[in-house]
């Protein structure tokens, strides 16, 4: 607490009570705007928006104060604040702060290596180049995702990308906060300052149907600011007129105005809610019908009661909860009890006399035996949406010929034979996409092409055909994000109660991943860092399962891993679902079959890729990763229908080139913004120093830079002799760079005059018995700003001339 009090006291002394009060009041509507956006837009978190609002507010206030009114700096302060917001938002959303700090440390090491004689800077330069390349790639990814999102929006297609949305909304919040600070600090215009904030807030509230009371926050803040600014203006006029007044008057007025403002806002929020129609309706609800009544009153009074729906075999599977509780021997009580044997058509031949532990694992196809999939996450577990059942005869295909032809290009067909020890739910398991079974079965569909599960009651031995993905990583990276509407509507849904930090984690993990496949792999790799265990306490009542696992538990079994990956994938804009069944099991080479036990009960995530369907991922740390070939696979398409000729990839190449150029532009913009902020901060620091100290520091800078130009300075030279020598050196180095009109040469003459002025100010500050005033300090700063550019240009020309001379000497 003492640290906080000390910080507040320091700010009060540096900025003053009025400035802190105005900043605090200005922050209120920005905070409300961030809160409303966070509550109504998925993928945003309050920490991001509130942080951007605070930074935008403070940076614009400081810039508006730094630029002198005598210059056309009013608009430049706003433009610079908005320009700083672009790299700031990119760094925050892209999680690039750590990489920038590492790059800064590497640049410092490189500078030290260059300063040490005979040191080899090559390793440091390679590190800097590598870091710049990685940073450029990350920025290019952010630019590419934003560009793709903008193209989709411009073409009228809804395409939600959480990273692109976070970039846009974070910059909107930064922009309106910067505008508010600039308008109030520079022009003392409260209405002008709050117009953008109120506009964005009003449009959001009206579109989503939120409470209009949220608009009262900027109203109250505006009224409070008018009171504070009005009193500050009156005090300024009294001081100019030499009038005495009590300094505590501002605090008394503020304290007196607060209750009146609160009463006004409460009245404004309550009055519109009263209406005669609403009072009549409330009365009817209280006296005519019980409030807690859920069923229709008249049918219930007549004795009509809804008949319970007969139980169906799939009801147990459709019940909500964590996935594996529906499996035989599933849950924490996993056992080694045998569940089933599985033979597949692509197994190696039986090998007599070879122990199973010595068999080459790479020769065994590793498949997952899928039983059902779940699409609805409630925060407490999984369930399925409503399904319809359809009967199929033995051998009747489950999918159409068109789908079969499409799958055959990217999947391989596998026949499996199952022998189950018991099958109370009658579930038909298969690897990949079901095709057909050799017994009559029932399929439960959520919608067309969206299968929940298939069953055959009482069947424990059956044969099933299915398609297993056979797709390379490169093909999955090229799949894109052109999802069907039914996929977007169902498999991106998340509960409104999902904590913001879960969405923020998903965004941070995937912000710089180039493709949907790379984003899925980033999430998968992150979750595999968590430890696997079956010894877990039950989740707290009402607590979101994923939030509890990711931030508190940090260990668990496959239900937690699969659920977390699906939720994080959806939060990152990737359609995903949970699959439930069994892992591969143990391969017996003597019988050429898999033995699957209760401990192999498993749940895993599936992510949808356009053109390829649902692809399995394995985030559970106790299971091996799913191997996929890195290069495209060749398929025998001789029996397939002819496909349309492929389009040239010119557009893809143009987009990739645009992403690269965009990343470089973002880096350049970030470097320019950092340099501008540093230069402004340097000028501001100089203006706060005592005049003698500021002038001496500026003269020292000129002296150090002059010595690097190769001028013949002697240790005993007076400041005037040094100035004359530097003047001659500048003239020699910069000679001949003027144009036909002599504009550059005229500018050089002006800058040389400023150099002589700075030397003269230093002599007076060092040897005159009279103290220097603020005007002398301002003249010195202006002279330094004029001379600095020519000093840098002269140094570059000196280095170039010196290098050419060294090259000629080496050649001669």
């Amino acid at each position: 607490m003492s640290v906080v009090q000390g910080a507040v006291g320091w700010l009060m002394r540096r900025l003053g009570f009025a400035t802190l009060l105005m900043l605090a009041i200005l922050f209120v509507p920005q905070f409300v705007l961030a809160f409303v956006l966070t509550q109504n837009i998925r993928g945003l978190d309050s920490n991001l928006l509130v942080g951007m609002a605070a930074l935008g507010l403070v940076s614009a206030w400081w810039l508006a104060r730094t630029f002198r009114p005598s210059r056309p700096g009013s608009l430049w302060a706003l433009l610079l604040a908005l320009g700083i917001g672009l790299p700031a938002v990119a760094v925050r959303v892209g999680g690039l702060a750590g990489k920038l700090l590492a790059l800064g440390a590497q640049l410092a090491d490189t500078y030290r290596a260059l300063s040490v004689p005979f040191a080899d800077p090559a390793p440091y330069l390679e590190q800097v180049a590598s870091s710049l390349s990685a940073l450029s790639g990350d920025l290019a990814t952010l630019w590419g995702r934003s560009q793709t999102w903008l193209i989709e929006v411009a073409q009228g297609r809804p395409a939600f990308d959480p990273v692109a949305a976070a970039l846009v909304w974070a910059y909107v919040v930064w922009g309106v906060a910067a505008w508010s600070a600039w308008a109030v600090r520079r022009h003392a215009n409260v209405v002008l300052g709050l117009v953008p904030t109120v506009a964005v807030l009003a449009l959001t509230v009206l579109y989503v149907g939120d409470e209009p009371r949220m608009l009262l926050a900027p109203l109250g803040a505006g009224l409070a600011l008018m009171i504070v600014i009005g009193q500050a203006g009156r005090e300024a006029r009294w001081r100019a007129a030499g009038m005495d007044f009590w300094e505590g008057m501002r605090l008394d007025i503020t304290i007196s105005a607060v209750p009146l403002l609160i009463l006004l806002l409460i009245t404004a929020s309550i009055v519109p809610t009263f209406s005669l129609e609403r009072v009549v309706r409330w009365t009817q609800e209280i006296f005519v019908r019980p409030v807690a009544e859920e069923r229709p009153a008249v049918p219930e009074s007549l004795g009509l009661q809804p008949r319970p729906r007969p139980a169906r075999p799939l009801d147990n599977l459709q019940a909500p909860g964590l996935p594996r509780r529906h499996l035989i021997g599933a849950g924490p009580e996993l056992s080694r009890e045998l569940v089933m044997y599985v033979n597949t058509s692509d197994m190696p031949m039986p090998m007599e006399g070879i122990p199973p532990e010595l068999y080459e694992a790479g020769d065994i196809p590793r498949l997952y035996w899928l039983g059902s999939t779940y699409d609805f996450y409630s925060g407490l577990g999984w369930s399925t949406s409503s399904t319809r059942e359809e009967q199929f005869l033995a051998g009747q295909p489950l999918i159409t010929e068109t789908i079969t032809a499409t799958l055959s290009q990217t999947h391989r067909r596998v026949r499996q034979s199952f022998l189950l020890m018991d099958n109370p739910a009658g579930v038909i398991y298969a690897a990949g996409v079901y095709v057909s079974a050799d017994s009559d079965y029932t399929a439960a569909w959520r919608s067309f092409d969206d299968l929940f599960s298939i069953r055959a009651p009482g069947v424990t031995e059956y044969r099933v055909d299915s398609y297993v993905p056979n797709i390379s990583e490169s093909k999955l990276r090229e799949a894109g994000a052109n999802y069907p509407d039914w996929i977007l509507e169902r498999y991106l849904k998340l509960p409104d109660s999902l904590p913001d930090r879960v969405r923020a984690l998903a965004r941070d993990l995937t912000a710089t991943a180039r493709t949907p496949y790379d984003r899925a792999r980033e999430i998968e790799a992150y979750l595999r860092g968590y430890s696997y265990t079956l010894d877990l306490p039950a989740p707290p009542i009402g607590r979101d399962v994923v939030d509890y696992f990711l931030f508190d538990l940090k260990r668990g079994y496959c239900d937690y891993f699969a659920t977390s990956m699906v939720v994080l994938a959806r939060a990152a804009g990737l359609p995903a679902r949970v699959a439930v069944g069994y892992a591969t099991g143990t391969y017996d080479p003597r019988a050429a079959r898999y033995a699957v036990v209760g401990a192999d009960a498993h749940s895993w995530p599936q992510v949808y890729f356009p053109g390829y369907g649902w692809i399995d991922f394995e985030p559970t740390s106790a299971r091996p990763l799913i191997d996929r070939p890195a290069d495209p696979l060749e398929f025998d398409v001789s029996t397939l229908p002819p496909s349309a000729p492929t389009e040239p990839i010119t557009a893809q190449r143009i987009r990739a080139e645009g992403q690269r150029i965009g990343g470089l532009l973002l880096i350049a913009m970030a470097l320019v913004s950092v340099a501008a902020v540093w230069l402004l901060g340097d000028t501001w620091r100089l203006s706060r120093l005592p005049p003698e100290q500021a002038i001496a520091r500026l003269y020292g800078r000129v002296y150090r830079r002059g010595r690097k130009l190769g001028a013949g300075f002697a240790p005993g030279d007076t400041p005037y002799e040094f100035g004359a020598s530097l003047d001659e050196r500048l003239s020699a180095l910069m000679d001949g760079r003027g144009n036909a009109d002599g504009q550059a040469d005229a500018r050089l003459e002006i800058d040389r005059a400023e150099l002589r002025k700075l030397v003269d100010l230093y002599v007076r500050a060092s040897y005159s018995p009279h103290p220097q005033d603020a005007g002398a300090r301002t003249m010195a700063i202006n002279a330094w700003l004029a001379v600095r550019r020519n000093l840098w240009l002269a140094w570059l020309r000196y280095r170039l001339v010196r290098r050419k001379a060294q090259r000629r000497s080496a050649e001669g």
Side-chain angles (χ1 to χ4, degrees):
M1 183 62 69
S2 59
V3 176
V4 175
Q5 291 177 348
V8 173
W10 181 82
L11 287 173
M12 288 281 290
R13 292 189 298 271
R14 297 289 298 179
L15 301 179
F17 173 77
T19 299
L20 286 179
L21 183 61
M22 284 189 284
L23 284 173
I25 296 173
L26 267 178
F27 183 69
V28 171
Q30 315 307 327
F31 177 83
V32 172
L33 175 61
F35 173 79
V36 171
L37 293 176
T38 302
Q39 294 299 311
N40 293 285
I41 300 175
R42 67 181 187 269
L44 296 181
D45 64 286
S46 55
N47 291 334
L48 169 66
L49 297 188
V50 171
M52 291 296 101
L55 289 175
L57 198 69
V58 172
S59 63
W61 187 279
W62 179 73
L63 289 170
R65 179 182 178 181
T66 302
F67 276 96
R68 290 179 293 179
S70 59
R71 294 185 176 183
S74 177
L75 186 59
W76 281 110
L78 174 62
L79 294 177
L80 184 56
L82 295 177
I84 294 172
L86 287 173
V89 168
V91 169
R92 174 62 179 85
V93 175
L96 306 179
K99 294 184 178 180
L100 285 175
L101 291 175
L103 177 61
Q106 292 169 358
L107 288 172
D109 294 340
T110 305
Y111 177 78
R112 285 193 290 268
L114 291 172
S115 302
V116 176
F118 307 108
D120 183 14
Y124 302 98
L125 291 174
E126 290 178 0
Q127 292 180 357
V128 170
S130 176
S131 298
L132 283 174
S133 176
L135 189 62
S136 175
D138 292 342
L139 289 173
T141 300
L142 291 175
W143 172 258
R145 294 183 67 168
S146 303
Q147 188 181 38
T148 303
W149 178 79
L150 287 172
I151 292 173
E152 295 289 338
V153 172
Q155 295 177 349
R157 295 197 300 264
F160 178 75
D161 185 334
V163 172
L167 287 169
V168 172
W169 284 114
Y171 188 69
V172 167
V173 170
W174 177 290
V176 297
W179 176 279
S180 300
W182 170 78
V184 172
R185 177 64 183 86
R186 175 60 67 184
H187 300 287
N189 193 328
V190 177
V191 176
L192 177 65
L194 293 181
V195 163
T197 304
V198 173
V200 176
L201 184 60
L203 289 174
T204 304
V205 168
L206 291 175
Y207 183 81
V208 303
D210 205 345
E211 284 290 338
R213 293 188 182 91
M214 293 296 181
L215 296 173
L216 295 176
L219 172 62
L223 294 175
L225 275 174
M226 290 179 181
I227 295 172
V228 174
I229 292 176
Q231 179 60 23
R234 285 189 292 271
E235 291 182 5
R237 291 193 297 272
W238 293 340
R239 289 192 184 93
M243 298 174 58
D244 292 332
F245 61 92
W246 182 43
E247 294 289 344
M249 183 186 302
R250 184 183 305 169
L251 181 60
D252 283 354
I253 292 176
T254 303
I255 294 175
S256 302
V258 167
L260 182 61
L261 284 174
I262 293 176
L263 179 61
L264 179 62
L265 294 178
I266 292 176
T267 304
S269 64
I270 292 178
V271 169
T273 65
F274 284 100
S275 68
L276 181 60
E277 180 183 356
R278 185 171 296 180
V279 172
V280 172
R281 186 167 64 250
W282 285 347
T283 305
Q284 290 176 344
E285 290 178 354
I286 294 174
F287 294 102
V288 178
R289 176 184 294 180
V291 176
E293 195 75 40
E294 294 183 356
R295 297 178 180 175
V298 174
E300 187 74 12
S301 301
L302 293 175
L304 296 174
Q305 295 182 356
R307 180 178 299 177
R309 179 177 60 83
R312 298 182 299 176
L314 285 171
D315 284 351
N316 180 51
L317 295 179
Q318 294 173 344
L322 289 178
R324 288 187 310 164
R325 72 183 189 87
H326 307 305
L327 300 178
I328 304 170
E333 72 282 359
L334 297 176
S335 68
R336 302 302 302 178
E337 181 181 355
L338 182 65
V339 174
M340 57 186 170
Y341 288 115
V342 186
N343 295 85
T344 69
S345 58
D346 57 354
M347 279 184 170
M349 295 297 294
M351 302 181 69
E352 298 293 339
I354 297 181
E357 60 272 12
L358 297 181
Y359 198 81
E360 291 293 337
D363 296 332
I364 306 172
R366 193 161 57 86
L367 304 172
Y368 288 161
W369 318 117
L370 176 65
S372 56
T373 60
Y374 293 89
D375 66 314
F376 181 75
Y377 176 69
S378 65
L380 305 178
W382 288 94
S383 62
T384 183
S385 304
S386 59
T387 62
R388 61 174 180 86
E389 295 185 359
E390 186 177 359
Q391 306 295 326
F392 290 84
L393 300 176
Q396 183 179 357
L398 187 71
I399 57 179
T400 64
E401 293 182 0
T402 303
I403 296 177
T404 301
T406 302
L407 289 174
S408 63
Q409 300 182 58
T410 57
H411 293 58
R412 72 177 188 272
R413 188 159 180 160
V414 178
R415 174 164 293 178
Q416 306 123 69
S417 299
F418 286 83
L419 175 61
L420 280 74
M421 304 300 104
D422 190 14
N423 193 11
V427 177
I428 299 296
Y429 295 97
V433 181
Y434 293 96
V435 176
S436 63
D438 65 349
S439 61
D440 296 347
Y441 60 94
T442 300
W445 302 90
R446 281 183 284 262
S447 62
F448 173 73
D449 203 21
D450 189 8
L451 183 67
F452 164 57
S453 184
I454 65 174
R455 64 178 178 85
V459 175
T460 58
E461 187 174 2
Y462 59 88
R463 187 175 61 200
V464 63
D465 288 355
S466 63
Y467 277 108
V468 177
N470 194 21
I471 310 166
S472 66
E473 287 189 320
S474 60
K475 290 295 184 182
L476 291 175
R477 287 191 172 93
E478 297 171 0
N482 188 20
Y483 303 112
D485 292 339
W486 66 273
I487 287 289
L488 295 175
E489 292 172 1
R490 175 167 294 159
Y491 289 104
L492 288 179
K493 285 184 178 179
L494 289 172
D496 295 336
S497 60
L498 185 70
D500 289 341
R501 59 180 179 175
V502 176
R503 298 181 186 271
L505 176 62
R507 187 191 64 239
D508 294 342
L509 289 175
T510 61
T512 56
R514 294 177 180 270
T515 66
Y517 177 73
D518 292 325
R519 293 164 208 162
R521 289 299 303 268
E522 289 290 341
I523 297 173
E524 180 186 49
Y526 176 80
L527 291 174
R528 290 184 68 85
Y530 285 66
S531 58
Y532 181 89
T533 181
L534 297 174
D535 184 15
L536 293 174
I541 297 176
R543 179 74 182 277
D544 186 273
V545 172
V546 172
D547 182 77
Y548 177 60
F549 170 70
L550 290 175
F551 299 102
D552 295 335
L553 201 58
K554 298 184 179 180
R555 55 193 175 91
Y557 45 88
C558 60
D559 284 348
Y560 288 96
F561 286 91
T563 299
S564 297
M565 178 162 180
V566 171
V567 170
L568 289 173
R570 291 185 179 186
L574 304 176
R577 67 183 185 184
V578 164
V580 179
Y582 290 89
T584 308
T586 303
Y587 182 68
D588 182 0
R590 299 186 183 91
R593 67 183 180 184
Y594 298 99
V596 182
V597 299
D600 294 317
H602 194 45
S603 59
W604 64 95
Q606 293 182 325
V607 179
Y608 188 88
F609 291 88
Y612 302 111
W614 296 101
I615 301 299
D616 298 333
F617 285 83
E618 186 51 270
T620 303
S621 55
R623 299 280 179 184
L625 277 170
I626 297 175
D627 294 326
R628 295 187 181 92
D631 298 324
L633 301 178
E634 297 294 334
F635 298 98
D636 183 10
V637 297
S638 58
T639 60
L640 298 177
S643 58
T646 58
E647 296 291 333
I649 60 171
T650 306
Q652 297 179 0
R653 291 177 179 173
I654 292 176
R655 177 172 295 183
E657 187 67 19
Q659 292 180 4
R660 187 183 67 84
I661 295 174
L664 295 176
L665 289 176
L666 284 175
I667 290 180
M669 187 180 299
L671 294 176
V672 170
S673 299
V674 171
V677 171
W678 185 87
L679 293 175
L680 285 172
D682 181 62
T683 304
W684 181 80
R685 288 192 302 270
L686 289 171
S687 65
R688 296 301 185 271
L689 292 175
E692 290 81 1
Q693 185 177 351
I695 295 172
R697 181 170 297 184
L698 292 173
Y699 177 82
R701 292 181 181 180
V702 173
Y703 186 83
R704 288 192 297 273
R705 283 163 175 76
R707 291 183 62 87
K708 295 180 180 180
L709 298 180
F713 304 144
D717 285 350
T718 65
Y720 286 119
E721 291 172 338
F722 159 74
S725 300
L726 181 57
D727 190 5
E728 293 178 2
R729 187 59 175 165
L730 283 175
S731 300
L733 289 173
M734 306 300 289
D735 184 32
R737 69 185 182 96
N739 54 23
D741 298 329
Q743 294 178 359
D745 291 336
R747 176 63 184 271
L748 177 60
E749 289 298 327
I750 296 174
D751 294 344
R752 292 168 61 189
E754 294 293 332
L755 171 62
R756 292 189 290 270
K757 182 189 298 183
L758 180 59
V759 172
D760 186 62
L761 287 171
Y762 172 71
V763 171
R764 285 193 289 170
S766 300
Y767 302 108
S768 175
H770 304 290
Q772 302 299 306
D773 56 8
R777 178 181 58 199
T778 303
M779 293 173 61
I781 292 175
N782 291 334
W784 160 249
L785 295 177
V787 172
R788 178 176 57 189
R789 175 175 173 273
N790 276 320
L791 286 174
W792 279 106
L793 291 176
W795 180 79
L796 290 175
R797 289 176 65 88
Y798 171 69
R799 299 286 295 181
L800 181 62
V801 171
R802 185 178 179 183
R803 182 168 297 180
K804 288 182 178 179
Q806 292 175 347
R807 188 180 297 116
R808 292 195 200 100
S809 175
E811 292 174 354

